[in-house]
Amino acid sequence: AQSVTQLDSHVSVSEGTPVLLRCNYSSSYSPSLFWYVQHPNKGLQLLLKYTSAATLVKGINGFEAEFKKSETSFHLTKPSAHMSDAAEFFCVVTGGYQKVTFGTGTKLQVIP
Amino acid sequence: GAVVSQHPSRVICKSGTSVKIECRSLDFQATTMFWYRQFPKKSLMLMATSNEGSKATYEQGVEKDKFLINHASLTLSTLTVTSAHPEDSSFYICSAWDRGGNYGYTFGSGTRLTVV
């Protein structure tokens, strides 16, 4: 069985403050984990991915995520939010048989 | 890195007509491609999995006669929405699995379908 839970459907932060988007997963296999961002009316863009190498993964636009097996978490962080970060973020887990499971998404609002 | 090109990005069609969406892997061979649909304010839902040279596997509740999928080569999969109705209006996204496993999953940029 495989699942992914994004704990917050909406997150609101002030510009310049840290961002934390939470993701927990479960998988019967050694998972690969991804974070994607979707701006309004746009497609999915890969932010970063974890594929069993370094547990701290750095992505584009200053985002990073840490894989914590003991906590089955893969939270996405950024030290300082920018207005252009406002978008919807999806946590994705892949496991055996190429099965892909999406989280329900977290909408990030950045307040000026 | 791997690139998946999805075309068109937007399409408006009349009820009853058919629309074809293309998904191409530009610099790798995609043994398997996936088609997703995104409902408003919802996450992506897997519609079907297509494997090159064989019939697509549809998820429960997806009408295979309405959403025709063809994966005739290692670089191209197509989704045809037949006899489109306004309720088919949605955002459709494809993804491809790199045969060599080097790039994992790569997503297309999506197609916004509006049926009027």
Side-chain angles (χ1 to χ4, degrees), chain A residues 38-44, chain B residues 9-10 38 91 109-112:
Chain A
Q38 186 179 33
H39 289 91
N41 295 314
K42 294 290 180 75
L44 293 173
Chain B
S9 57
R10 292 178 179 270
Q38 187 176 34
F91 194 64
S109 55
T111 297
R112 171 73 60 191

Side-chain angles (χ1 to χ4, degrees), chain A residues 21-37:
Chain A
L21 305 183
R22 296 182 293 167
C23 173
N24 286 92
Y25 71 93
S26 69
S27 177
S28 303
Y29 303 89
S30 295
S32 292
L33 293 151
F34 305 77
W35 275 99
Y36 285 86
V37 61

Side-chain angles (χ1 to χ4, degrees), chain A residues 36 38 43 49 98 100 102-103, chain B residues 38 43 91 103 105 107 109:
Chain A
Y36 285 86
Q38 186 179 33
K49 64 179 179 181
Q98 304 174 11
V100 179
F102 278 83
Chain B
Q38 187 176 34
S43 186
F91 194 64
Y103 302 117
Y105 291 93
F107 286 88
S109 55

Side-chain angles (χ1 to χ4, degrees), chain B residues 1-112:
Chain B
V3 177
V4 170
S5 174
Q6 188 172 341
H7 179 80
S9 57
R10 292 178 179 270
V11 59
I12 300 173
C13 69
K14 292 183 178 180
S15 288
T17 62
S18 295
V19 174
K20 181 185 284 188
I21 303 169
E22 292 189 348
C23 181
R24 292 181 184 272
S25 58
L26 296 186
D27 49 5
F28 67 101
Q29 293 182 325
T31 311
T32 305
M33 288 186 172
F34 304 87
W35 287 95
Y36 297 85
R37 179 175 178 177
Q38 187 176 34
F39 292 92
K41 300 182 180 180
K42 297 272 188 177
S43 186
L44 285 85
M45 303 297 292
L46 179 65
M47 297 175 65
T49 302
S50 73
N51 295 294
E52 183 264 338
S54 63
K55 290 184 178 180
T57 303
Y58 290 81
E59 296 297 303
Q60 191 172 10
V62 178
E63 299 176 61
K64 58 182 68 177
D65 294 331
K66 179 165 190 63
F67 298 100
L68 300 179
I69 290 172
N70 183 279
H71 193 163
S73 78
L74 283 170
T75 60
L76 174 65
S77 177
T78 60
L79 167 68
T80 301
V81 183
T82 63
S83 186
H85 290 281
E87 57 264 32
D88 298 326
S89 298
S90 192
F91 194 64
Y92 295 87
I93 300 176
C94 69
S95 74
W97 171 260
D98 175 32
R99 186 180 191 181
N102 295 321
Y103 302 117
Y105 291 93
T106 303
F107 286 88
S109 55
T111 297
R112 171 73 60 191

